[in-house]
């Protein structure tokens, strides 16, 4: 983006755009037409303006393009006496220049252009650099915590040795191998059963009634001394809040997403919403362009660089984030309208060591079919009981894929999301814990679309299980370093929650055939029967957690569907098998989950 690229803009253009038309349908249409005509002038008018010469001017050196993206300033040209910038808001330009580290006494001149045009110009000039930084920053700064290395060499050697040892023992002493395998599986299920009981108890002890905005119009959170502190509604009392919404090939859900953002109970002038769109996603772009977006919603085009994953898109959007806090919402999400205000109050009450708040997640189509009912039961258990239990016990919290509210400065300081981890949310929660930060639970709900198609659900669950396995392997590259950073208690919690999930994914598909083999071959039938009872007890404990979650959420009618849970577990076992295969074949492959299957028909905002 050189000097002549914006020569079509003069100070008369600036004056014209500062006199905005009234906010009517006709006025908005006229403004849209004006923007298109001005953009046309930028593209064709390359001549220097009358009375000005571009000869001899050099583009200023760029030290940090993220600062230009964040402050919406584009350097056009300059020398030692004068630097010229393109801006969309001349009133706050001085403060933005201070943020860029401008030296005192430097003279500046400015050219005013509309925000959408300026953002596109910044992307045109710095987009590839920002995308490369989004893809590789964590790998550059902390390669041992980045999944881009996959399963490292020493881990592959250990895995191969273990598999070889098991295979050799199975050939030489099959009876003893089967007996030891039964013992290992029994211990895994016993440990996970006990751990789930502890989490269930901790979650129930700290349980609070689910917040529904209709019951309380004021956004409130419990402060440190136990009193309720309402959040003021004026923008002067609220920080700018950035919302990142990554989308890919999801035109069906765009209208509902915009309605959900418009329903947020937060001052529009304090909102900084970024729609993150892959640059070749023409269908979603057409759906967005067909809408009349509010001025606080911006469209960013993520350059087509590998890896093409959601966390890379979020890192790209983070470079443009101007808010003190940042939250990520998925394309089909409908957050509680007062969620942002409640997050601001919670951050103020918990102190600077709290880097992230995880809102509760649930579904707005829980009764579409048996699969959505099972999915809702599982989500209620996970976000209403197990994660609060982890928080109450002081253990690392694996974040959900959406409604994670961050302090923006801390999120940037730790390198953002890992673009090569397909469960970047769970990984980020653990990296925050390793840096000494805390994650807390926000008593506010974001409603999503539950998968109602089996194959679509299977692809999503495969990615989740593969991501948990990869996250455990990444953070176990240096166990002693991890132990020093987490401490013994949180290290134990990490092994039980993350490592236990990995072991269950591997052991569950093997458990039933091994147990049946022990009974059929009469190899210590009492021991085999005992292990079988342990397996049934573990599954029974999980069912108890599911029922408790349904009661906490108030979905009493879904409890009657608990008899279908074993079929749901069979699907989970199939996803586990696919996850293990993909972990070695394509660890970074992001299986796309299709959204909008029942969204427009079932959504409460449809």
């Amino acid at each position: 983006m050189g000097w002549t690229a914006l020569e079509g803009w003069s100070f008369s253009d600036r004056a014209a755009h500062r006199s905005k038309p009234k906010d009517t349908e006709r006025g908005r249409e006229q403004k849209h037409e004006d923007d298109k005509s001005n953009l046309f002038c930028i593209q064709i008018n390359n001549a220097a303006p009358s009375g000005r010469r571009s000869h001899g001017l050099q583009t200023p050196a760029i030290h940090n393009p993220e600062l230009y993206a964040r402050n919406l300033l584009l350097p056009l040209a300059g020398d030692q006496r004068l630097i010229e910038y393109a801006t969309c808001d001349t009133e706050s330009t001085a403060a933005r220049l201070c943020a860029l580290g401008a030296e005192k006494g430097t003279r500046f001149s400015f050219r005013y252009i509309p925000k959408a045009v300026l953002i596109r110009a910044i992307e045109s000039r710095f987009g590839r650099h920002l995308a490369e930084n989004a893809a590789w920053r964590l790998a550059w700064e902390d390669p041992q915590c980045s999944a881009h290395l996959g399963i490292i060499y020493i881990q592959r050697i250990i895995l191969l040795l273990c598999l070889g040892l098991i295979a050799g023992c199975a050939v030489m002493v099959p009876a003893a191998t089967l007996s030891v395998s039964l013992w290992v599986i029994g211990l895994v299920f016993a440990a996970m059963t006990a751990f789930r009981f502890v989490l269930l108890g901790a979650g129930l002890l700290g349980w609070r009634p689910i917040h529904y905005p209709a019951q309380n119009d004021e956004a409130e959170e419990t402060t440190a001394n136990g009193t309720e502190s309402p959040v003021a509604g004026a923008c002067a009392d609220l920080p700018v809040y950035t919302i990142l919404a990554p989308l890919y090939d999801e035109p069906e859900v765009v209208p509902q997403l915009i309605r959900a953002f418009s329903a947020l109970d937060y001052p529009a002038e304090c909102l900084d919403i970024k729609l993150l769109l892959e640059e070749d996603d023409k269908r979603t772009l057409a759906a967005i362009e067909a809408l009349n977006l509010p001025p606080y919603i911006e469209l960013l085009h993520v350059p087509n660089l590998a890896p093409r994953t959601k966390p890379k898109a979020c890192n790209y959007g983070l470079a443009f984030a101007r808010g003190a806090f940042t939250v990520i919402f998925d394309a089909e999400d409908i957050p509680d309208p007062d969620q942002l205000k409640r997050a601001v109050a919670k951050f103020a009450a918990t102190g600077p060591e709290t880097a992230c708040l995880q809102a509760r997640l649930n579904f707005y189509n829980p009764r579409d079919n048996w699969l959505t009912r099972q999915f809702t039961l599982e989500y209620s258990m996970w976000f209403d009981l197990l994660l609060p239990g982890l928080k109450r016990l002081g253990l690392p919290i694996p974040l959900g894929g959406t409604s994670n509210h961050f302090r923006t400065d801390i999120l940037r300081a730790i390198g953002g999301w890992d673009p090569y981890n397909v469960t970047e949310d769970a990984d980020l929660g653990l990296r925050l814990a390793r840096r000494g930060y805390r994650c807390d639970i926000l008593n506010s709900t974001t409603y999503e679309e539950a998968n109602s198609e089996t194959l679509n659900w299977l692809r999503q669950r495969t990615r989740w299980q593969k991501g948990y396995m990869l996250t455990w392997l990444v953070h176990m590259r240096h166990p002693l370093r991890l132990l020093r950073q987490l401490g013994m208690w949180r290290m134990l919690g990490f092994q039980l929650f993350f490592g236990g999930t990995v072991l269950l994914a591997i052991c569950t598909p093997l458990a039933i055939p091994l147990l049946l083999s022990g009974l059929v071959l009469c190899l210590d039938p009492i021991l085999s029967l005992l292990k079988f009872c342990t397996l049934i007890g573990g599954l029974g404990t999980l069912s108890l957690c599911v029922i408790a979650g349904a009661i906490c959420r108030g979905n009493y009618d879904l409890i009657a569907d608990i008899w279908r849970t074993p079929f749901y577990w069979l699907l989970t076992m199939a996803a586990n098998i696919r996850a293990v295969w993909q972990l070695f074949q394509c660890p970074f492959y992001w299986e796309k989950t299709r959204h909008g299957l029942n969204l427009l028909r079932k959504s409460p905002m449809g």
Side-chain angles (χ1 to χ4, degrees):
M1 195 73 184
W3 159 264
T4 58
L6 293 175
E7 285 299 335
W9 288 97
S10 64
F11 288 97
S12 61
D13 296 321
R14 166 185 164 183
H17 277 272
R18 294 195 67 175
S19 57
K20 299 179 181 178
K22 293 183 179 179
D23 190 19
T24 62
E25 191 66 30
R26 181 180 179 85
R28 287 193 294 268
E29 291 177 0
Q30 182 62 42
K31 183 179 184 300
H32 182 63
E33 292 300 321
D34 290 344
D35 287 350
K36 288 197 296 185
S37 63
N38 287 325
L39 180 59
F40 178 76
C41 292
I42 290 175
Q43 293 172 340
I44 67 171
N45 187 2
N46 290 330
S50 176
R52 296 287 302 276
R53 293 189 306 165
S54 60
H55 177 70
L57 293 175
Q58 302 295 324
T59 302
I62 305 303
H63 299 292
N64 191 347
E66 287 193 14
L67 289 178
Y68 293 123
R70 192 183 315 163
N71 292 282
L72 289 184
L73 284 173
L74 180 65
L76 299 178
D79 55 18
Q80 294 180 351
R81 297 167 298 173
L82 180 68
I83 299 177
E84 184 163 18
Y85 287 95
T87 180
C88 63
D89 182 9
T90 57
E91 295 178 0
S92 61
T93 298
R96 295 178 182 181
L97 289 173
C98 291
L100 290 173
E103 296 182 3
K104 186 177 181 180
T106 306
R107 296 176 58 212
F108 304 95
S109 64
F110 306 99
R111 289 184 177 271
Y112 178 87
I113 61 175
K115 181 193 286 187
V117 180
L118 177 59
I119 291 174
R120 201 69 185 102
I122 293 174
E123 286 191 298
S124 176
R125 183 166 178 181
F126 302 127
R128 193 164 189 87
H129 173 93
L130 295 174
E132 290 176 352
N133 197 46
W136 288 101
R137 180 184 172 187
L138 181 63
W140 291 333
E141 295 180 354
D142 193 359
Q144 292 305 317
C145 281
S146 170
H148 81 285
L149 298 174
I151 306 175
I152 61 175
Y153 182 74
I154 186 63
Q155 290 176 333
R156 291 179 180 271
I157 294 297
I158 293 174
L159 287 173
L160 289 175
L161 288 176
C162 291
L163 290 176
L165 179 62
I166 294 173
C169 291
V171 172
M172 298 177 63
V173 282
T177 302
L178 180 58
S179 179
V180 171
S181 299
L182 291 174
W183 270 107
V184 171
I185 291 175
L187 289 174
V188 169
F189 274 92
M192 291 305 298
T193 299
F195 185 56
R196 289 285 172 89
F197 259 123
V198 172
L199 286 183
L200 177 61
L204 289 174
L205 285 175
W207 183 79
R208 296 178 58 199
I210 305 299
H211 166 75
Y212 296 100
Q215 300 174 1
N216 183 8
D217 293 334
E218 288 291 337
E220 298 178 349
E221 272 296 338
T222 303
T223 58
N225 60 7
T227 60
E228 295 293 326
S229 175
V231 180
C235 186
D237 303 318
L238 292 171
V240 175
Y241 220 115
T242 294
I243 297 176
L244 302 180
L247 302 97
Y248 180 65
D249 195 22
E250 295 171 303
E252 299 85 1
V253 301
V254 168
Q256 178 184 274
L257 181 66
I258 302 304
R259 289 196 298 271
F261 288 159
S262 300
L264 290 173
D265 180 20
Y266 207 81
E269 59 270 27
C270 295
L271 286 174
D272 174 38
I273 301 178
K274 319 287 188 186
L275 302 182
L276 310 176
L277 196 65
E278 298 292 332
E279 63 180 0
D280 61 350
D281 189 0
K282 306 301 182 184
R283 294 178 66 238
T284 309
L285 178 60
I288 293 174
E289 290 179 341
L291 302 174
N292 186 21
L293 295 181
Y296 52 83
I297 298 182
E298 302 168 4
L299 179 61
L300 299 179
H301 305 77
V302 182
N304 186 11
L305 293 176
R308 299 191 61 177
T309 58
K310 171 184 169 182
K312 190 203 76 175
C314 290
N315 284 338
Y316 183 81
L318 184 62
F320 290 82
R322 297 188 293 276
F325 302 108
T326 297
V327 61
I328 177 173
F329 288 125
D330 282 343
E332 81 280 15
D333 285 0
I334 301 179
D336 282 345
D338 63 349
Q339 187 171 123
L340 301 188
K341 285 186 176 181
R342 294 180 68 83
V344 171
K346 185 79 170 182
F347 274 121
T350 53
E353 70 280 357
T354 299
C356 177
L357 301 176
Q358 171 65 65
R360 303 175 190 269
L361 303 181
N362 217 280
F363 298 120
Y364 48 67
N365 62 325
R367 296 165 181 84
D368 279 4
N369 57 28
W370 79 274
L371 187 59
T372 61
R373 288 192 287 272
Q374 293 295 321
F375 209 174
T376 303
L377 287 170
E378 183 184 26
Y379 250 44
S380 299
M381 170 194 70
W382 189 268
F383 288 98
D384 294 336
L385 285 177
L386 296 188
L387 293 192
L390 287 173
K391 180 259 178 182
R392 188 172 181 84
L393 294 174
L395 300 177
I397 295 178
L399 301 175
T402 177
S403 305
N404 318 132
H405 298 255
F406 299 96
R407 296 185 188 272
T408 307
D409 55 344
I410 295 178
L411 182 59
R412 286 196 175 104
I414 67 169
W417 294 268
D418 185 353
Y420 289 88
N421 195 317
V422 295
T423 50
E424 77 293 340
D425 39 19
D427 168 77
L428 184 53
L430 189 58
R431 283 196 288 121
L432 286 170
R434 295 183 68 165
R435 296 289 190 96
Y437 295 110
R438 293 175 54 246
C439 296
D440 210 333
I441 304 299
L442 181 65
N443 190 13
S444 178
T445 303
T446 295
Y447 295 91
E448 300 187 289
E449 179 191 20
N451 260 317
S452 57
E453 289 188 358
T454 303
L455 292 180
N456 199 41
W457 181 94
L458 190 63
R459 288 191 294 269
Q460 183 184 56
R461 184 54 56 97
T462 298
R463 176 169 57 83
W464 290 355
Q465 296 296 89
K466 178 178 67 174
Y468 262 70
M469 297 176 192
L470 186 59
T471 298
W472 185 80
L473 288 169
V474 166
H475 290 278
M476 284 298 291
R477 289 170 180 169
H478 298 282
L480 293 180
R481 176 186 172 192
L482 181 64
L483 178 61
R484 287 195 301 269
Q485 292 175 332
L486 292 181
M488 183 60 71
W489 175 246
R490 293 196 296 173
M491 179 70 164
L492 178 62
F494 166 72
Q495 297 301 336
L496 286 172
F497 203 85
F498 283 85
T501 300
V502 173
L503 286 176
L504 282 179
I506 297 172
C507 292
T508 303
L510 301 175
I512 295 178
L514 286 177
L515 289 170
L516 292 178
S517 299
L519 290 173
V520 171
L521 298 176
C522 297
L523 299 175
D524 199 347
I526 297 178
L527 178 62
S528 298
L529 184 60
L530 180 62
K531 298 299 183 295
F532 188 79
C533 292
T534 302
L535 172 62
I536 298 301
L539 298 179
T541 301
L542 184 58
S543 299
L544 181 62
C545 294
V546 167
I547 293 173
I551 294 174
C552 290
R553 181 56 65 167
N555 291 323
Y556 304 106
D557 60 308
L558 298 184
I559 298 176
D561 209 62
I562 198 71
W563 67 273
R564 290 192 176 100
T565 301
F567 301 102
Y568 189 71
W569 291 337
L570 290 176
L571 280 179
T572 303
M573 285 193 288
N576 292 340
I577 295 171
R578 295 184 77 241
V580 173
W581 174 259
Q582 287 191 10
L583 180 65
F584 292 92
Q585 294 298 316
C586 47
F588 315 131
Y589 174 58
W590 189 285
E591 282 197 287
K592 179 73 173 67
T593 303
R594 184 184 174 193
H595 296 132
L597 299 175
N598 301 292
L599 188 59
L600 298 179
R601 180 170 58 89
K602 295 290 185 179
S603 167
M605 299 188 66

